[in-house]
Amino acid sequence: MRYKVVHGAQAKEIVAAPDRARALLPAFIEAAKELESDGVRAITTTCGFLTIVQDEIAEAVNVPMITSSLFLIPMLRRMLGPKRRIGIVTANAQSLSPAHLLAAGIDPGWNLLVRGMESRPSFGSILGTGNTNDDTLDVDETRREVVEVCRAMQAEAPDLSAFLFECTNLQPYAAAVQQATGLPIFGIYHVVNLLHSGVIAPGFARGYL
Protein backbone atom coordinates (compact mmCIF):
# COMPACT_ATOMS: atom_id res chain seq x y z
CA MET A 1 0.00 0.00 0.00
CA ARG A 2 1.14 3.55 -0.77
CA TYR A 3 -0.45 6.76 0.47
CA LYS A 4 -0.22 10.35 -0.73
CA VAL A 5 -1.68 13.25 1.20
CA VAL A 6 -3.11 16.09 -0.88
CA HIS A 7 -2.42 19.10 1.31
CA GLY A 8 -5.34 21.48 1.54
CA ALA A 9 -7.88 18.76 0.74
CA GLN A 10 -9.53 18.78 4.14
CA ALA A 11 -12.75 16.82 4.41
CA LYS A 12 -14.86 19.78 5.44
CA GLU A 13 -13.60 21.70 2.41
CA ILE A 14 -14.06 18.99 -0.22
CA VAL A 15 -17.53 18.11 1.05
CA ALA A 16 -18.63 21.74 1.06
CA ALA A 17 -19.14 22.16 -2.71
CA PRO A 18 -18.10 20.56 -6.03
CA ASP A 19 -15.84 23.46 -6.99
CA ARG A 20 -13.63 22.92 -3.94
CA ALA A 21 -12.41 19.60 -5.33
CA ARG A 22 -11.90 21.06 -8.79
CA ALA A 23 -9.75 23.87 -7.38
CA LEU A 24 -7.39 21.20 -6.02
CA LEU A 25 -7.39 19.12 -9.20
CA PRO A 26 -3.70 19.82 -10.06
CA ALA A 27 -2.68 18.59 -6.61
CA PHE A 28 -4.79 15.43 -6.96
CA ILE A 29 -3.28 14.71 -10.36
CA GLU A 30 0.23 15.24 -9.03
CA ALA A 31 -0.44 12.82 -6.17
CA ALA A 32 -1.87 10.20 -8.53
CA LYS A 33 1.14 10.49 -10.84
CA GLU A 34 3.51 10.12 -7.89
CA LEU A 35 1.71 6.97 -6.79
CA GLU A 36 1.94 5.57 -10.31
CA SER A 37 5.67 6.38 -10.33
CA ASP A 38 6.00 4.49 -7.05
CA GLY A 39 4.74 1.40 -8.87
CA VAL A 40 1.16 1.14 -7.68
CA ARG A 41 -1.17 -0.73 -10.01
CA ALA A 42 -4.49 0.88 -8.99
CA ILE A 43 -5.51 4.07 -7.20
CA THR A 44 -8.49 5.17 -5.14
CA THR A 45 -9.26 8.10 -2.85
CA THR A 46 -10.78 8.49 0.59
CA CYS A 47 -13.60 10.89 -0.29
CA GLY A 48 -16.63 9.95 -2.37
CA PHE A 49 -17.27 13.59 -3.24
CA LEU A 50 -14.37 13.45 -5.70
CA THR A 51 -16.60 12.03 -8.46
CA ILE A 52 -16.48 15.55 -9.85
CA VAL A 53 -12.81 15.14 -10.87
CA GLN A 54 -12.83 11.41 -11.69
CA ASP A 55 -12.34 11.77 -15.45
CA GLU A 56 -9.45 14.21 -15.23
CA ILE A 57 -7.49 12.16 -12.69
CA ALA A 58 -8.16 8.89 -14.52
CA GLU A 59 -6.93 10.38 -17.80
CA ALA A 60 -3.74 11.63 -16.13
CA VAL A 61 -2.48 8.16 -15.14
CA ASN A 62 -2.10 4.80 -16.84
CA VAL A 63 -3.45 2.58 -14.07
CA PRO A 64 -7.09 2.03 -12.99
CA MET A 65 -8.32 4.93 -10.88
CA ILE A 66 -11.63 5.40 -9.07
CA THR A 67 -12.59 8.18 -6.71
CA SER A 68 -15.87 7.06 -5.18
CA SER A 69 -18.14 4.20 -4.23
CA LEU A 70 -20.93 6.21 -5.89
CA PHE A 71 -19.84 4.67 -9.19
CA LEU A 72 -21.39 1.42 -7.93
CA ILE A 73 -24.91 2.89 -8.03
CA PRO A 74 -25.59 2.29 -11.76
CA MET A 75 -24.52 -1.35 -11.32
CA LEU A 76 -26.61 -1.77 -8.16
CA ARG A 77 -29.62 -0.33 -9.97
CA ARG A 78 -29.20 -3.04 -12.60
CA MET A 79 -28.72 -5.70 -9.95
CA LEU A 80 -31.81 -4.71 -7.98
CA GLY A 81 -34.05 -3.49 -10.76
CA PRO A 82 -34.92 0.14 -11.47
CA LYS A 83 -38.07 0.16 -9.31
CA ARG A 84 -36.34 -0.90 -6.09
CA ARG A 85 -34.97 1.89 -3.94
CA ILE A 86 -31.32 2.31 -3.00
CA GLY A 87 -30.34 4.23 0.09
CA ILE A 88 -27.25 6.44 -0.13
CA VAL A 89 -25.68 7.29 3.22
CA THR A 90 -23.34 10.24 2.83
CA ALA A 91 -21.18 12.45 5.00
CA ASN A 92 -23.38 15.43 4.11
CA ALA A 93 -26.64 15.07 2.19
CA GLN A 94 -26.98 18.83 1.77
CA SER A 95 -23.66 18.97 -0.10
CA LEU A 96 -24.11 15.86 -2.25
CA SER A 97 -25.27 17.74 -5.31
CA PRO A 98 -26.77 16.65 -8.65
CA ALA A 99 -23.33 17.44 -10.13
CA HIS A 100 -21.70 14.83 -7.88
CA LEU A 101 -24.33 12.26 -8.84
CA LEU A 102 -24.21 12.97 -12.56
CA ALA A 103 -20.42 12.68 -12.52
CA ALA A 104 -20.86 9.14 -11.14
CA GLY A 105 -23.35 8.20 -13.87
CA ILE A 106 -26.35 8.60 -11.57
CA ASP A 107 -29.57 10.16 -12.82
CA PRO A 108 -31.14 12.29 -10.04
CA GLY A 109 -34.51 10.89 -11.15
CA TRP A 110 -33.61 7.37 -10.08
CA ASN A 111 -35.35 5.81 -7.10
CA LEU A 112 -32.85 6.82 -4.42
CA LEU A 113 -33.07 7.90 -0.81
CA VAL A 114 -30.17 10.12 0.25
CA ARG A 115 -29.54 10.86 3.90
CA GLY A 116 -26.46 12.30 5.59
CA MET A 117 -24.48 12.22 8.80
CA GLU A 118 -23.97 15.99 8.97
CA SER A 119 -26.06 16.49 12.12
CA ARG A 120 -24.45 13.64 14.06
CA PRO A 121 -21.88 15.03 16.53
CA SER A 122 -19.71 11.94 16.95
CA PHE A 123 -19.42 11.31 13.22
CA GLY A 124 -18.65 15.01 12.80
CA SER A 125 -15.44 14.53 14.76
CA ILE A 126 -14.14 12.43 11.84
CA LEU A 127 -14.60 15.29 9.40
CA GLY A 128 -13.62 18.05 11.78
CA THR A 129 -17.16 19.40 11.82
CA GLY A 130 -18.12 18.32 15.32
CA ASN A 131 -19.40 20.66 17.99
CA THR A 132 -16.43 20.17 20.31
CA ASN A 133 -12.69 20.72 20.07
CA ASP A 134 -12.06 17.08 20.95
CA ASP A 135 -11.17 15.16 17.78
CA THR A 136 -11.10 11.79 19.58
CA LEU A 137 -13.38 9.35 17.80
CA ASP A 138 -15.93 7.55 19.97
CA VAL A 139 -16.31 4.40 17.88
CA ASP A 140 -19.27 3.01 19.82
CA GLU A 141 -21.18 6.29 19.64
CA THR A 142 -20.40 6.71 15.96
CA ARG A 143 -21.58 3.17 15.29
CA ARG A 144 -24.81 3.95 17.11
CA GLU A 145 -25.31 7.11 15.02
CA VAL A 146 -24.75 5.31 11.71
CA VAL A 147 -27.11 2.48 12.66
CA GLU A 148 -29.70 4.99 13.81
CA VAL A 149 -29.59 6.88 10.50
CA CYS A 150 -29.88 3.68 8.47
CA ARG A 151 -32.74 2.30 10.53
CA ALA A 152 -34.57 5.61 10.15
CA MET A 153 -34.07 5.38 6.38
CA GLN A 154 -35.49 1.87 6.36
CA ALA A 155 -38.52 3.01 8.35
CA GLU A 156 -39.01 5.97 6.01
CA ALA A 157 -38.79 3.80 2.88
CA PRO A 158 -39.96 0.20 3.46
CA ASP A 159 -39.07 -0.57 -0.18
CA LEU A 160 -35.38 0.10 0.52
CA SER A 161 -33.37 -2.75 -1.01
CA ALA A 162 -29.73 -1.87 -0.27
CA PHE A 163 -27.45 0.76 1.20
CA LEU A 164 -24.55 2.46 -0.55
CA PHE A 165 -22.06 4.13 1.78
CA GLU A 166 -20.63 7.19 0.00
CA CYS A 167 -18.20 8.12 2.75
CA THR A 168 -15.22 5.82 3.31
CA ASN A 169 -15.50 6.51 7.04
CA LEU A 170 -18.84 4.67 7.12
CA GLN A 171 -17.45 1.32 5.99
CA PRO A 172 -16.32 0.10 9.46
CA TYR A 173 -19.95 0.18 10.62
CA ALA A 174 -21.38 -1.88 7.76
CA ALA A 175 -21.63 -5.08 9.81
CA ALA A 176 -23.61 -3.34 12.55
CA VAL A 177 -25.95 -1.74 10.01
CA GLN A 178 -26.48 -5.04 8.23
CA GLN A 179 -27.28 -6.76 11.50
CA ALA A 180 -29.80 -4.02 12.33
CA THR A 181 -31.47 -3.80 8.91
CA GLY A 182 -30.83 -7.11 7.15
CA LEU A 183 -30.02 -5.28 3.92
CA PRO A 184 -27.04 -5.59 1.54
CA ILE A 185 -24.45 -2.86 2.02
CA PHE A 186 -21.95 -1.63 -0.54
CA GLY A 187 -19.14 0.88 -0.25
CA ILE A 188 -15.46 1.62 -0.72
CA TYR A 189 -14.54 -1.87 0.51
CA HIS A 190 -16.10 -3.35 -2.60
CA VAL A 191 -14.48 -0.79 -4.90
CA VAL A 192 -11.03 -1.51 -3.50
CA ASN A 193 -11.52 -5.27 -3.74
CA LEU A 194 -12.67 -4.87 -7.34
CA LEU A 195 -9.54 -2.90 -8.15
CA HIS A 196 -7.27 -5.32 -6.30
CA SER A 197 -8.68 -8.47 -7.89
CA GLY A 198 -8.51 -6.83 -11.30
CA VAL A 199 -4.82 -5.97 -11.17
CA ILE A 200 -3.77 -9.02 -9.12
CA ALA A 201 -5.92 -11.88 -10.35
CA PRO A 202 -6.65 -14.48 -7.63
CA GLY A 203 -5.27 -17.98 -8.27
CA PHE A 204 -8.00 -19.85 -6.33
CA ALA A 205 -5.41 -22.33 -5.00
CA ARG A 206 -7.00 -21.97 -1.58
CA GLY A 207 -10.57 -21.64 -2.75
CA TYR A 208 -12.60 -18.63 -3.78
CA LEU A 209 -13.55 -16.99 -0.46
Side-chain angles (χ1 to χ4, degrees):
M1 296 291 294
R2 297 289 186 273
Y3 296 91
K4 289 291 180 182
V5 175
V6 177
H7 297 287
Q10 298 182 11
K12 59 184 178 181
E13 294 293 329
I14 296 299
V15 170
D19 60 342
R20 303 294 178 86
R22 187 159 297 283
L24 288 166
L25 178 58
F28 281 116
I29 289 177
E30 181 182 2
K33 287 183 174 180
E34 288 177 359
L35 286 169
E36 184 179 16
S37 296
D38 286 345
V40 303
R41 298 169 67 177
I43 302 171
T44 187
T45 73
T46 61
C47 183
F49 278 72
L50 293 176
T51 58
I52 208 76
V53 291
Q54 165 71 33
D55 289 347
E56 291 91 336
I57 303 176
E59 288 179 355
V61 293
N62 297 302
V63 296
M65 163 75 204
I66 191 165
T67 54
S68 176
S69 62
L70 288 170
F71 286 98
L72 294 174
I73 289 289
M75 181 178 68
L76 294 180
R77 187 170 182 266
R78 290 286 185 175
M79 288 170 57
L80 300 167
K83 294 182 180 179
R84 298 174 70 185
R85 189 173 303 194
I86 301 170
I88 298 178
V89 189
T90 177
N92 192 318
Q94 298 175 3
S95 297
L96 189 63
S97 69
H100 289 110
L101 298 179
L102 286 171
I106 302 168
D107 188 328
W110 288 356
N111 194 12
L112 305 174
L113 179 65
V114 181
R115 294 292 180 266
M117 300 295 301
E118 59 269 19
S119 65
R120 305 291 169 156
S122 185
F123 186 86
S125 67
I126 299 174
L127 304 180
T129 58
N131 296 326
T132 69
N133 294 324
D134 185 4
D135 292 332
T136 302
L137 175 64
D138 186 333
V139 174
D140 292 335
E141 179 62 16
T142 304
R143 182 186 299 110
R144 186 194 66 77
E145 290 177 350
V146 176
V147 169
E148 189 176 73
V149 167
C150 292
R151 291 186 69 178
M153 292 172 68
Q154 191 176 34
E156 179 181 351
D159 62 336
L160 207 63
S161 299
F163 288 105
L164 185 286
F165 286 171
E166 169 274 319
C167 182
T168 60
N169 294 294
L170 290 166
Q171 192 68 59
Y173 312 107
V177 171
Q178 190 163 76
Q179 184 177 15
T181 65
L183 292 179
I185 299 169
F186 301 88
I188 194 64
Y189 172 84
H190 302 91
V191 172
V192 170
N193 275 279
L194 176 65
L195 284 172
H196 184 269
S197 61
V199 299
I200 303 178
F204 305 113
R206 298 181 181 178
Y208 179 68
L209 299 176

